Amino acid sequence: MTKYVFVTGGVVSGLGKGITASSIALLLKSRGYKIFMQKFDPYFNIDPGTMNPIQHGEVFVTYDGCETDLDLGHYERFIDEELNYTSNITSGKIYKTVIDKERHGDYLGATVQMVPHITNEIKNKVYEAGKSSGADIVITEIGGTVGDIESLAFIEAIRQIQYEKNDDDTFFIHTTLVPFIYGSDELKTKPTQNSVRDLRNYGIKCDGIVLRLPYASDKEMKRKISLFCSVPVENVIDSVDVKNIYEIPLNYHEQKIDEIILKKFNLPINKADLTYWKKLVNTVNNLDKEIEISLVGKYVELHDAYLSVCEALKHAGYCYNAKININWVDSEKLEGNVKLSEVFKNTKGIIVPGGFGNRGTEGMIKAIKYARENKIPFLGICLGMQLACIEFARDICNINATSREFDANASFAIIDLMADQKSIANMGGTLRLGNYQCNIVSNTLASKLYKKDDIIERHRHRYEFNNEYKELLENKGMVFSGINEQANLVEIIELPNHPFFIACQFHPEFKSRPTKAHPLFKGFIESSLK
Ligand code: GLN
């Protein structure tokens, strides 16, 4: 019998609901339960795959090729479980399913409505996640803020779940903001009271409240919230602002949120094993070195557009007790008359992550050339690998190389559209997505880093290295050290006469974990520290 935790948010967005959900998941997992997580997003896109990263932040990709909200990355990093297509459900997906069913004739005779057709579809997604994952506990985060018109159907669906299920099958957590008012210099609980009342207007009774605040609340405040919101005082949990997000699960654990949930579920309160997590927090709070890494991209104005890359860099830093300071470099600005030696003055390593479209790519190519010529450790990811090949072909092989993505009529498209992409007209969900295997060539940097000859990584791209140019680049010293043999696709390239120059077509950042740094990032940071 699966149990269900729902996490809603009130007052404002950006409260850290995703981190709250992940932290609770981590604590329940640490007590021996199998956990699955999912997020409902109220927007009408089928998935965030077609959205501008500057608006939405990065697109996280699951192993089964689902393009998802970046919160899924938090989930995976906290609970170290691979999530899948049942983990990110949007209004777009729900409505599409219902409309397709209507056209198919599945509702014969019925008027198709928000309630029950849309709400039933939402409920199915919750129950399906429970069934297909075999989890003891499913944690579902509802995107947006209670009261938004957009998320009403989700709120109604989870209300029905609360009503349909036994009392000990569900736990509803509402996260709110407790603002500090300057002048009177106090924390204010009214927005929380109002938000919980909104939730009650929709028929939902919450079991716990997580307060986001700048410092811990006192007993009196908790008693007040408890009384006005009809929640036991011990179920009112503080989520105090922290510098290091990994402290949050430990803060919740001290306030016994995991015990409170398990008690309501009538499940055994097994001993929590948080040793590894405490060790991580201790490492992060005691880093004794700093290092500057330059991240060169075109979405740098929104750091969340590169969230998993930044996290993966940090994780690699923890292995060497090093704090990573990112120098955010807008690639488009490098295209003008700038002195690269100034831009990269304090930089110990350069990373060029993924991206789409032509804008800013000449700046990225300049940065790659600078890294190659000045023997600065370089890691290229996806577009970063494609541009590393273009740079090498132009500068070392003397051909006017480019990618078909930037020039449809290019004579030297050393990066070209993949064969199976040529007939595709729809943009959404049609990239090469998710897990693919890659063979590692022995005696290469890649084999030294992975210590394996067969790996699986997650992908998100439409273009590939054009094998017609392989020999030309190989003869001039480029090593193709990772190949997908089924489709004969280049997955990893490297340059041997350089301290560390490697790039991959896949996205290693999605598989990095705070306590398990990814081998490519680990190697990159190790050599940047030298
Ligand atoms: N735009 C490139 C492609 O589609 C790279 C994609 C990426 O960096 N994720 O192949």
Side-chain angles (χ1 to χ4, degrees), residues 351-399:
I351 183 161
V352 177
F356 290 83
N358 194 11
R359 182 171 69 80
T361 51
E362 289 305 321
M364 296 174 203
I365 288 173
K366 264 179 140 180
I368 295 168
K369 181 174 157 73
Y370 186 83
R372 181 174 58 77
E373 291 181 340
N374 294 284
K375 310 266 182 223
I376 298 172
F378 169 76
L379 177 61
I381 296 175
C382 207
L383 181 67
M385 183 199 94
Q386 298 174 352
L387 296 176
C389 295
I390 292 173
E391 191 280 315
F392 189 83
R394 284 186 190 173
D395 212 53
I396 305 295
C397 311
N398 286 314
I399 58 170

Short mmCIF file of all heavy atoms in Angstrom, two decimals, residues 351-399:
data_model
loop_
_atom_site.label_atom_id
_atom_site.label_comp_id
_atom_site.label_asym_id
_atom_site.label_seq_id
_atom_site.Cartn_x
_atom_site.Cartn_y
_atom_site.Cartn_z
N ILE A 351 34.70 25.86 -18.90
CA ILE A 351 33.67 24.90 -19.28
C ILE A 351 32.71 25.56 -20.27
O ILE A 351 32.32 26.72 -20.08
CB ILE A 351 32.96 24.36 -18.01
CG1 ILE A 351 31.93 23.29 -18.35
CG2 ILE A 351 32.28 25.43 -17.20
CD1 ILE A 351 31.56 22.43 -17.15
N VAL A 352 32.42 24.86 -21.36
CA VAL A 352 31.41 25.33 -22.31
C VAL A 352 30.29 24.29 -22.32
O VAL A 352 30.45 23.20 -22.85
CB VAL A 352 32.00 25.53 -23.73
CG1 VAL A 352 30.89 25.95 -24.71
CG2 VAL A 352 33.10 26.58 -23.72
N PRO A 353 29.16 24.64 -21.69
CA PRO A 353 28.05 23.68 -21.58
C PRO A 353 27.14 23.68 -22.80
O PRO A 353 27.46 24.31 -23.82
CB PRO A 353 27.31 24.15 -20.34
CG PRO A 353 27.81 25.51 -20.00
CD PRO A 353 28.89 25.87 -20.95
N GLY A 354 26.00 23.03 -22.68
CA GLY A 354 25.07 22.87 -23.79
C GLY A 354 24.38 24.16 -24.19
O GLY A 354 24.41 25.16 -23.47
N GLY A 355 23.75 24.14 -25.35
CA GLY A 355 23.01 25.31 -25.82
C GLY A 355 22.43 25.05 -27.20
O GLY A 355 22.76 24.05 -27.84
N PHE A 356 21.59 25.96 -27.62
CA PHE A 356 20.92 25.81 -28.92
C PHE A 356 21.04 27.10 -29.71
O PHE A 356 20.99 28.19 -29.15
CB PHE A 356 19.45 25.45 -28.70
CG PHE A 356 19.28 24.06 -28.15
CD1 PHE A 356 19.40 23.82 -26.79
CD2 PHE A 356 19.06 22.99 -29.00
CE1 PHE A 356 19.29 22.53 -26.28
CE2 PHE A 356 18.94 21.70 -28.50
CZ PHE A 356 19.05 21.48 -27.14
N GLY A 357 21.19 26.97 -31.03
CA GLY A 357 21.20 28.14 -31.90
C GLY A 357 22.57 28.74 -32.06
O GLY A 357 23.52 28.43 -31.32
N ASN A 358 22.66 29.65 -33.03
CA ASN A 358 23.94 30.21 -33.45
C ASN A 358 24.47 31.31 -32.53
O ASN A 358 25.67 31.47 -32.36
CB ASN A 358 23.75 30.78 -34.87
CG ASN A 358 25.06 31.07 -35.55
OD1 ASN A 358 26.13 30.68 -35.05
ND2 ASN A 358 25.00 31.77 -36.67
N ARG A 359 23.53 32.04 -31.91
CA ARG A 359 23.94 33.24 -31.16
C ARG A 359 24.99 32.88 -30.09
O ARG A 359 24.81 31.94 -29.33
CB ARG A 359 22.71 33.87 -30.47
CG ARG A 359 23.02 35.13 -29.70
CD ARG A 359 21.77 35.84 -29.24
NE ARG A 359 21.05 35.11 -28.19
CZ ARG A 359 21.39 35.13 -26.90
NH1 ARG A 359 22.42 35.84 -26.49
NH2 ARG A 359 20.70 34.45 -26.02
N GLY A 360 26.05 33.66 -30.08
CA GLY A 360 27.08 33.48 -29.04
C GLY A 360 28.08 32.37 -29.31
O GLY A 360 29.05 32.22 -28.57
N THR A 361 27.87 31.58 -30.37
CA THR A 361 28.76 30.42 -30.55
C THR A 361 30.18 30.83 -30.97
O THR A 361 31.14 30.15 -30.62
CB THR A 361 28.19 29.41 -31.57
OG1 THR A 361 27.84 30.11 -32.77
CG2 THR A 361 26.96 28.71 -31.03
N GLU A 362 30.32 31.95 -31.70
CA GLU A 362 31.68 32.37 -32.08
C GLU A 362 32.49 32.75 -30.83
O GLU A 362 33.70 32.50 -30.75
CB GLU A 362 31.64 33.53 -33.08
CG GLU A 362 31.15 33.15 -34.48
CD GLU A 362 31.93 31.99 -35.13
OE1 GLU A 362 33.17 31.94 -35.00
OE2 GLU A 362 31.28 31.13 -35.78
N GLY A 363 31.81 33.32 -29.84
CA GLY A 363 32.47 33.64 -28.56
C GLY A 363 32.90 32.38 -27.83
O GLY A 363 33.98 32.30 -27.26
N MET A 364 32.04 31.37 -27.88
CA MET A 364 32.39 30.09 -27.24
C MET A 364 33.62 29.49 -27.93
O MET A 364 34.51 28.95 -27.28
CB MET A 364 31.22 29.11 -27.31
CG MET A 364 29.98 29.58 -26.55
SD MET A 364 28.59 28.45 -26.81
CE MET A 364 27.19 29.52 -26.46
N ILE A 365 33.64 29.58 -29.27
CA ILE A 365 34.77 29.03 -30.03
C ILE A 365 36.08 29.75 -29.65
O ILE A 365 37.13 29.13 -29.47
CB ILE A 365 34.48 29.12 -31.55
CG1 ILE A 365 33.40 28.10 -31.91
CG2 ILE A 365 35.74 28.92 -32.39
CD1 ILE A 365 32.88 28.17 -33.34
N LYS A 366 35.97 31.07 -29.44
CA LYS A 366 37.16 31.83 -29.02
C LYS A 366 37.67 31.33 -27.66
O LYS A 366 38.88 31.19 -27.45
CB LYS A 366 36.79 33.32 -28.88
CG LYS A 366 37.09 34.18 -30.09
CD LYS A 366 36.63 35.59 -29.79
CE LYS A 366 37.58 36.65 -30.29
NZ LYS A 366 37.08 38.01 -29.96
N ALA A 367 36.72 31.09 -26.75
CA ALA A 367 37.10 30.61 -25.41
C ALA A 367 37.76 29.23 -25.50
O ALA A 367 38.75 28.95 -24.81
CB ALA A 367 35.87 30.56 -24.51
N ILE A 368 37.22 28.37 -26.37
CA ILE A 368 37.78 27.01 -26.52
C ILE A 368 39.21 27.09 -27.08
O ILE A 368 40.12 26.41 -26.59
CB ILE A 368 36.87 26.15 -27.44
CG1 ILE A 368 35.51 25.94 -26.77
CG2 ILE A 368 37.54 24.81 -27.75
CD1 ILE A 368 34.43 25.35 -27.68
N LYS A 369 39.40 27.95 -28.08
CA LYS A 369 40.73 28.13 -28.67
C LYS A 369 41.71 28.62 -27.59
O LYS A 369 42.84 28.13 -27.49
CB LYS A 369 40.63 29.15 -29.80
CG LYS A 369 41.93 29.44 -30.54
CD LYS A 369 41.61 30.36 -31.74
CE LYS A 369 42.80 31.17 -32.23
NZ LYS A 369 43.80 30.39 -32.95
N TYR A 370 41.23 29.56 -26.78
CA TYR A 370 42.08 30.09 -25.71
C TYR A 370 42.48 28.98 -24.74
O TYR A 370 43.65 28.87 -24.36
CB TYR A 370 41.33 31.22 -24.97
CG TYR A 370 42.18 31.94 -23.96
CD1 TYR A 370 43.03 32.98 -24.34
CD2 TYR A 370 42.14 31.58 -22.62
CE1 TYR A 370 43.82 33.63 -23.42
CE2 TYR A 370 42.93 32.23 -21.69
CZ TYR A 370 43.77 33.25 -22.08
OH TYR A 370 44.56 33.90 -21.16
N ALA A 371 41.51 28.14 -24.37
CA ALA A 371 41.80 27.02 -23.45
C ALA A 371 42.79 26.04 -24.09
O ALA A 371 43.72 25.57 -23.44
CB ALA A 371 40.51 26.30 -23.09
N ARG A 372 42.58 25.77 -25.37
CA ARG A 372 43.45 24.80 -26.05
C ARG A 372 44.87 25.34 -26.16
O ARG A 372 45.83 24.65 -25.80
CB ARG A 372 42.90 24.48 -27.45
CG ARG A 372 43.72 23.46 -28.22
CD ARG A 372 43.08 23.06 -29.54
NE ARG A 372 42.84 24.19 -30.44
CZ ARG A 372 43.79 24.79 -31.17
NH1 ARG A 372 45.04 24.38 -31.10
NH2 ARG A 372 43.48 25.80 -31.97
N GLU A 373 45.01 26.59 -26.59
CA GLU A 373 46.34 27.13 -26.83
C GLU A 373 47.10 27.44 -25.54
O GLU A 373 48.32 27.33 -25.49
CB GLU A 373 46.24 28.39 -27.69
CG GLU A 373 45.82 28.04 -29.10
CD GLU A 373 45.73 29.26 -30.03
OE1 GLU A 373 45.62 30.40 -29.54
OE2 GLU A 373 45.76 29.04 -31.25
N ASN A 374 46.35 27.82 -24.52
CA ASN A 374 47.01 28.20 -23.27
C ASN A 374 47.05 27.08 -22.24
O ASN A 374 47.37 27.30 -21.08
CB ASN A 374 46.35 29.45 -22.68
CG ASN A 374 46.57 30.66 -23.58
OD1 ASN A 374 47.66 31.24 -23.60
ND2 ASN A 374 45.56 31.00 -24.37
N LYS A 375 46.70 25.89 -22.71
CA LYS A 375 46.76 24.68 -21.86
C LYS A 375 45.96 24.83 -20.58
O LYS A 375 46.39 24.41 -19.50
CB LYS A 375 48.23 24.31 -21.54
CG LYS A 375 49.15 24.25 -22.76
CD LYS A 375 49.23 22.84 -23.30
CE LYS A 375 50.19 22.75 -24.48
NZ LYS A 375 49.69 21.94 -25.58
N ILE A 376 44.80 25.47 -20.70
CA ILE A 376 43.89 25.58 -19.55
C ILE A 376 42.92 24.41 -19.61
O ILE A 376 42.36 24.13 -20.68
CB ILE A 376 43.11 26.92 -19.62
CG1 ILE A 376 44.10 28.08 -19.55
CG2 ILE A 376 42.07 27.02 -18.51
CD1 ILE A 376 43.47 29.42 -19.82
N PRO A 377 42.72 23.69 -18.48
CA PRO A 377 41.79 22.55 -18.49
C PRO A 377 40.44 22.96 -19.08
O PRO A 377 39.91 24.03 -18.76
CB PRO A 377 41.67 22.19 -17.01
CG PRO A 377 42.99 22.60 -16.44
CD PRO A 377 43.40 23.85 -17.18
N PHE A 378 39.93 22.08 -19.95
CA PHE A 378 38.69 22.40 -20.66
C PHE A 378 37.73 21.21 -20.62
O PHE A 378 38.14 20.07 -20.85
CB PHE A 378 39.01 22.75 -22.12
CG PHE A 378 37.77 22.83 -22.99
CD1 PHE A 378 36.93 23.93 -22.93
CD2 PHE A 378 37.42 21.78 -23.84
CE1 PHE A 378 35.77 23.99 -23.70
CE2 PHE A 378 36.27 21.84 -24.62
CZ PHE A 378 35.44 22.95 -24.55
N LEU A 379 36.47 21.53 -20.33
CA LEU A 379 35.42 20.52 -20.41
C LEU A 379 34.30 21.07 -21.30
O LEU A 379 33.76 22.14 -21.02
CB LEU A 379 34.89 20.18 -19.01
CG LEU A 379 33.72 19.19 -18.91
CD1 LEU A 379 34.10 17.82 -19.49
CD2 LEU A 379 33.29 19.00 -17.45
N GLY A 380 33.98 20.35 -22.36
CA GLY A 380 32.90 20.77 -23.26
C GLY A 380 31.73 19.79 -23.14
O GLY A 380 31.94 18.58 -23.07
N ILE A 381 30.53 20.33 -23.10
CA ILE A 381 29.35 19.48 -22.95
C ILE A 381 28.38 19.74 -24.09
O ILE A 381 27.95 20.89 -24.29
CB ILE A 381 28.66 19.73 -21.60
CG1 ILE A 381 29.59 19.34 -20.45
CG2 ILE A 381 27.34 18.96 -21.51
CD1 ILE A 381 29.06 19.65 -19.08
N CYS A 382 28.07 18.72 -24.84
CA CYS A 382 27.06 18.76 -25.90
C CYS A 382 27.41 19.83 -26.94
O CYS A 382 28.33 19.61 -27.74
CB CYS A 382 25.68 18.95 -25.31
SG CYS A 382 24.39 18.27 -26.36
N LEU A 383 26.76 20.99 -26.92
CA LEU A 383 27.18 22.04 -27.85
C LEU A 383 28.67 22.33 -27.65
O LEU A 383 29.39 22.62 -28.62
CB LEU A 383 26.35 23.32 -27.60
CG LEU A 383 26.67 24.49 -28.52
CD1 LEU A 383 26.27 24.20 -29.96
CD2 LEU A 383 25.97 25.77 -28.04
N GLY A 384 29.14 22.26 -26.43
CA GLY A 384 30.56 22.49 -26.10
C GLY A 384 31.46 21.52 -26.85
O GLY A 384 32.56 21.89 -27.29
N MET A 385 31.03 20.27 -27.01
CA MET A 385 31.83 19.30 -27.78
C MET A 385 31.78 19.63 -29.26
O MET A 385 32.81 19.61 -29.96
CB MET A 385 31.33 17.86 -27.57
CG MET A 385 32.20 16.86 -28.31
SD MET A 385 31.48 15.24 -28.62
CE MET A 385 30.81 15.48 -30.27
N GLN A 386 30.59 19.96 -29.73
CA GLN A 386 30.45 20.26 -31.16
C GLN A 386 31.34 21.44 -31.54
O GLN A 386 32.03 21.43 -32.57
CB GLN A 386 28.97 20.55 -31.48
CG GLN A 386 28.06 19.36 -31.19
CD GLN A 386 26.57 19.66 -31.35
OE1 GLN A 386 26.18 20.81 -31.54
NE2 GLN A 386 25.73 18.64 -31.24
N LEU A 387 31.38 22.46 -30.67
CA LEU A 387 32.18 23.66 -30.97
C LEU A 387 33.68 23.38 -30.83
O LEU A 387 34.49 23.96 -31.56
CB LEU A 387 31.76 24.81 -30.06
CG LEU A 387 30.31 25.29 -30.27
CD1 LEU A 387 29.95 26.38 -29.26
CD2 LEU A 387 30.09 25.80 -31.70
N ALA A 388 34.04 22.46 -29.92
CA ALA A 388 35.45 22.10 -29.79
C ALA A 388 35.93 21.45 -31.09
O ALA A 388 37.06 21.68 -31.54
CB ALA A 388 35.67 21.18 -28.59
N CYS A 389 35.06 20.65 -31.71
CA CYS A 389 35.42 20.01 -32.99
C CYS A 389 35.53 21.08 -34.08
O CYS A 389 36.46 21.03 -34.91
CB CYS A 389 34.38 18.97 -33.37
SG CYS A 389 34.30 17.59 -32.23
N ILE A 390 34.59 22.02 -34.09
CA ILE A 390 34.61 23.07 -35.12
C ILE A 390 35.87 23.92 -34.98
O ILE A 390 36.55 24.21 -35.97
CB ILE A 390 33.33 23.95 -35.00
CG1 ILE A 390 32.09 23.12 -35.39
CG2 ILE A 390 33.45 25.21 -35.86
CD1 ILE A 390 30.76 23.82 -35.16
N GLU A 391 36.20 24.27 -33.74
CA GLU A 391 37.38 25.11 -33.50
C GLU A 391 38.64 24.41 -34.00
O GLU A 391 39.47 24.99 -34.71
CB GLU A 391 37.49 25.42 -31.99
CG GLU A 391 38.51 26.47 -31.61
CD GLU A 391 39.94 25.96 -31.55
OE1 GLU A 391 40.19 24.87 -31.00
OE2 GLU A 391 40.82 26.66 -32.08
N PHE A 392 38.77 23.11 -33.68
CA PHE A 392 39.94 22.33 -34.06
C PHE A 392 40.02 22.21 -35.59
O PHE A 392 41.08 22.38 -36.19
CB PHE A 392 39.84 20.95 -33.41
CG PHE A 392 41.07 20.11 -33.54
CD1 PHE A 392 42.13 20.26 -32.65
CD2 PHE A 392 41.18 19.13 -34.53
CE1 PHE A 392 43.27 19.48 -32.75
CE2 PHE A 392 42.31 18.35 -34.65
CZ PHE A 392 43.36 18.52 -33.76
N ALA A 393 38.86 21.95 -36.21
CA ALA A 393 38.82 21.80 -37.67
C ALA A 393 39.23 23.10 -38.37
O ALA A 393 39.96 23.09 -39.35
CB ALA A 393 37.44 21.37 -38.12
N ARG A 394 38.77 24.22 -37.81
CA ARG A 394 39.12 25.51 -38.42
C ARG A 394 40.59 25.82 -38.24
O ARG A 394 41.29 26.16 -39.19
CB ARG A 394 38.31 26.64 -37.75
CG ARG A 394 36.87 26.69 -38.19
CD ARG A 394 36.23 27.93 -37.56
NE ARG A 394 34.78 27.92 -37.75
CZ ARG A 394 33.98 28.80 -37.18
NH1 ARG A 394 34.45 29.74 -36.38
NH2 ARG A 394 32.68 28.75 -37.39
N ASP A 395 41.05 25.71 -36.99
CA ASP A 395 42.37 26.23 -36.67
C ASP A 395 43.49 25.25 -37.01
O ASP A 395 44.57 25.65 -37.44
CB ASP A 395 42.42 26.58 -35.18
CG ASP A 395 43.35 27.75 -34.95
OD1 ASP A 395 43.16 28.77 -35.62
OD2 ASP A 395 44.27 27.61 -34.13
N ILE A 396 43.26 23.97 -36.84
CA ILE A 396 44.32 22.98 -37.04
C ILE A 396 44.20 22.30 -38.41
O ILE A 396 45.19 21.98 -39.05
CB ILE A 396 44.30 21.91 -35.91
CG1 ILE A 396 44.39 22.60 -34.54
CG2 ILE A 396 45.42 20.90 -36.08
CD1 ILE A 396 45.68 23.34 -34.25
N CYS A 397 42.96 22.08 -38.86
CA CYS A 397 42.79 21.38 -40.14
C CYS A 397 42.52 22.35 -41.29
O CYS A 397 42.35 21.90 -42.44
CB CYS A 397 41.67 20.35 -40.05
SG CYS A 397 41.80 19.28 -38.62
N ASN A 398 42.42 23.63 -40.96
CA ASN A 398 42.25 24.65 -42.00
C ASN A 398 41.04 24.46 -42.92
O ASN A 398 41.15 24.67 -44.13
CB ASN A 398 43.51 24.72 -42.88
CG ASN A 398 44.62 25.39 -42.12
OD1 ASN A 398 44.40 26.43 -41.48
ND2 ASN A 398 45.79 24.78 -42.14
N ILE A 399 39.93 24.04 -42.35
CA ILE A 399 38.71 24.05 -43.16
C ILE A 399 37.71 25.00 -42.52
O ILE A 399 37.73 25.21 -41.30
CB ILE A 399 38.09 22.65 -43.38
CG1 ILE A 399 37.76 21.98 -42.04
CG2 ILE A 399 38.98 21.78 -44.24
CD1 ILE A 399 36.93 20.73 -42.21
#
